[in-house]
């Protein structure tokens, strides 16, 4: 995408084509303008159009250019915050609503994939949150107990069962979440775009929104060569926000995250490494994630940016860490490498903003945006269609506020990950 091999890597190489789109040129009118062609924007577009609304979606670059085309592809249920802590952080009403919505969000993703026959390598075999040491085990035990008490399909696996499923004895246990799964993230975004176009959405790519203007009861949404008049604007720009909603970007701290994909593994390795094809990640502070794609490539990721000295440091670390975790893998070659920016909020929870009358958006998924973005897109559609009043939304209304020392924290994340991965060479 955009001639940068380190932006979308494997996903760009293996995703089906997006729908044919062109830049906005001239004036249009719609009920709703959606800004951003990731999961949030595409899901709200699809749900609105299916309900009969006239929708124009404007994307600055390409469908899935942001996090949607770069991520690991873990369809997670819930957030990082412990289930029992959520009502304390958000208040009991919003806390319970959010738990319920996000706990069921992977189901919506899978239903949409089925309904629209989206070819995106969906695996419904769950995810494994792998415990490192005694502390990691304590954490997943608590998480498992809290979700189980809410009736979620989760199970705690001991070290032996974990070793069998992962193909490595590096973990003290794991939390199997049967609600979750994996997919090819860019293929899912492009599939949503096809479904949205079929439902009547006009998608314009290479069309960054540069300004908006109030005109009576309507908004004029402007790009370099065109404008759309609409009653509502959905801001679905999240961590890659540019233009009028820079505040969405600046209320987040960017955490860089990279992935390497191996060449397709041979039959024997596929039988021993993740034979059940669950998605996996660990409990370390600088976490690692790993999953298979459909062709048997192992996608291995961690915190860091593949630029400057980071490229060699993280690549060296990834080779060593993979060999340590899966000694049978040997000197495996990487076929692709890429990285992106995860938008983290100060309480690790997403945000609902109303930027002006009729201008709304959800953002800040803290590295868990596939299922939340999809379900929040539908939530925005329901809100605009008058089916879900503001008081019944899953998050309270807040104003974007910039966290203190944001720039410093971003430098620290990028440099700190390099230091940690470099230091690991000496262990
Ligand atoms: C490396 C990485 C790994 C991740 N791993 C996972 C994972 O395994 N599981 C998971 O659930 N989540 C994961 N995430 C998070 C997930 O990708 C995001 O939360 C998700 O993509 C957010 O969706 P979105 O539609 O809100 O925003 P995005 O997908 O970021 O889309 C926003 C879009 O808005 C466009 N835009 C911005 N400004 C404008 C403008 N002015 N005009 C027009 N368009 C504009 C951008 O170009 C972009 O395409 C990961 C993220 C990264 C970066």
């Amino acid at each position: 995408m955009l001639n940068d091999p380190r932006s979308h890597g494997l996903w760009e190489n293996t995703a089906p084509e997006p729908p044919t789109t062109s830049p906005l040129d001239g004036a249009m009118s719609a009920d709703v303008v959606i800004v951003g062609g990731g999961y949030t924007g595409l899901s709200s577009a699809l749900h609105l159009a299916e309900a009969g609304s006239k929708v124009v979606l404007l994307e600055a670059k390409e469908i899935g250019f942001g996090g949607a085309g770069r991520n690991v592809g873990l369809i997670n249920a819930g957030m990082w915050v412990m289930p029992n802590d959520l009502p304390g952080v958000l208040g009991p009403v919003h806390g319970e609503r959010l738990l319920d919505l996000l706990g069921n969000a992977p189901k919506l993703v899978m239903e949409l994939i089925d309904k629209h026959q989206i070819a995106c390598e969906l695996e419904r075999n769950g995810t494994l949150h792998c415990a490192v040491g005694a502390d990691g085990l304590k954490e997943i035990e608590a998480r498992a107990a809290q979700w189980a008490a809410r009736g979620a399909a989760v199970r705690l696996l001991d070290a032996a069962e974990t070793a069998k499923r992962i193909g490595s004895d590096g973990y003290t246990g794991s939390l199997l979440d049967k609600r979750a799964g994996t997919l090819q993230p860019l293929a899912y975004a492009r599939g949503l775009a096809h479904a949205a176009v079929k439902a009547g959405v006009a998608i314009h790519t290479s069309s960054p929104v540069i300004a908006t203007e109030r005109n009576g009861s309507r908004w004029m949404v402007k790009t370099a060569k065109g404008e759309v008049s609409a009653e509502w604007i959905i801001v679905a720009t999240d961590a890659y926000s540019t233009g009028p909603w820079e505040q969405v970007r600046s209320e987040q701290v960017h955490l860089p995250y990279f992935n390497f994909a191996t060449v397709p593994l041979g039959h024997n390795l596929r039988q021993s490494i993740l034979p059940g094809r669950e998605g996996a990640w660990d409990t370390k502070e600088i976490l690692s994630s790993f999953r298979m794609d459909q062709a048997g490539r192992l996608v291995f990721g961690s915190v860091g940016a593949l630029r400057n000295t980071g490229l060699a440091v993280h690549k060296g670390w990834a080779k060593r860490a993979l060999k340590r975790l899966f000694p049978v893998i040997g000197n495996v070659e990487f076929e692709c490498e890429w990285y992106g920016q995860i938008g983290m909020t100060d309480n690790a929870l997403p945000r609902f903003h109303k930027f002006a009358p009729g201008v709304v958006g959800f953002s800040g998924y803290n590295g868990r945006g596939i299922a939340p973005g999809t379900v929040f897109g539908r939530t925005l559609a329901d809100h605009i269609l008058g089916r879900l009043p503001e008081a019944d939304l899953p998050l309270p209304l807040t104003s974007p506020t910039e966290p203190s020392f944001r720039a410093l924290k971003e430098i620290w994340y990028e440099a700190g990950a390099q230091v940690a991965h470099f230091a690991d060479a000496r262990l």
Side-chain angles (χ1 to χ4, degrees), residues 35-41 58-62 65-68 70-74 76 207-209 236-238 240-244 257 340-342 365 367-370:
V35 188
Y39 308 127
T40 310
L58 301 173
E59 161 55 48
K61 310 270 189 186
E62 298 286 340
F65 173 80
R70 305 166 191 250
N71 66 64
V72 181
L74 303 169
N76 293 305
S207 303
V209 171
T237 52
D238 200 43
Y240 284 82
S241 207
T242 58
Y257 200 91
Q341 304 289 352
I342 296 179
Y365 305 134
R368 298 193 145 207
I370 298 175

Side-chain angles (χ1 to χ4, degrees), residues 158-401:
D158 63 14
E161 172 72 12
T162 303
K164 211 156 66 183
R165 287 181 183 249
I166 298 285
S168 166
D169 56 10
Y171 301 107
T172 46
S174 61
L175 167 58
L176 170 65
D177 192 333
K178 291 292 284 180
R179 299 168 297 179
T182 62
L183 47 64
Q184 209 279 27
L186 182 59
Y188 175 52
R190 288 181 174 177
L192 285 176
H194 277 289
V197 168
K198 233 188 226 168
V201 176
I203 297 184
H204 292 283
T205 47
S206 302
S207 303
V209 171
I210 49 178
T212 61
E213 208 177 279
R214 192 77 167 145
N215 190 352
S217 65
R218 294 177 73 79
W219 288 100
M220 298 302 291
V221 179
K222 301 184 181 207
T223 65
K225 287 195 169 163
E227 57 183 26
V228 188
S229 138
E231 209 175 313
W232 288 87
I233 304 175
I234 288 181
V235 180
T237 52
D238 200 43
Y240 284 82
S241 207
T242 58
W245 300 285
E246 170 62 25
Q247 26 179 342
V248 171
R249 149 80 187 104
S250 60
E251 91 170 318
Q252 305 174 350
V253 175
H254 272 182
L255 176 77
Y257 200 91
F258 63 79
N259 279 289
F260 290 95
T262 67
V263 293
L265 302 180
H267 177 76
N268 288 349
L269 284 176
R270 282 196 233 174
Q271 294 307 303
S272 68
I273 299 173
L274 289 173
R277 305 176 83 85
E278 301 92 342
W281 74 100
D282 66 30
T283 55
K284 281 192 189 161
E285 200 165 334
I286 299 185
L287 64 85
S288 307
S289 54
F290 43 98
R291 54 153 299 182
M292 287 286 180
D293 83 340
Q294 207 162 50
R297 299 178 185 91
L298 185 59
V299 177
F300 187 62
S302 184
V303 179
L306 299 184
R307 59 184 169 200
N308 310 323
T309 48
L311 180 55
V313 168
H314 297 310
K315 197 175 201 162
W317 170 83
K319 291 225 155 169
R320 290 191 305 277
L322 258 189
K323 230 167 154 178
R324 205 158 45 213
L325 198 54
F326 307 110
V328 287
I329 210 166
N331 284 322
V332 69
E333 287 303 315
F334 291 141
E335 192 177 290
C336 297
E337 56 202 30
W338 69 101
Y339 76 104
Q341 304 289 352
I342 296 179
M344 310 291 289
T345 58
D346 57 5
N347 64 355
L349 288 174
R351 299 286 191 266
F352 169 61
H353 296 315
K354 190 152 89 181
F355 301 90
V359 187
V360 288
F362 285 103
S363 54
Y365 305 134
N366 292 271
R368 298 193 145 207
I370 298 175
T374 306
V375 83
F376 281 132
R378 185 185 65 181
T379 302
L380 286 167
D382 284 341
H383 179 54
I384 287 175
L385 292 164
R387 298 170 178 166
L388 194 60
E390 195 175 300
D392 294 343
L393 290 175
L395 285 169
L397 176 66
T398 50
S399 312
T401 45

Side-chain angles (χ1 to χ4, degrees), residues 22-33:
S22 57
L24 180 70
D25 194 353
M28 292 182 81
S29 168
D31 298 318
V32 186
V33 177

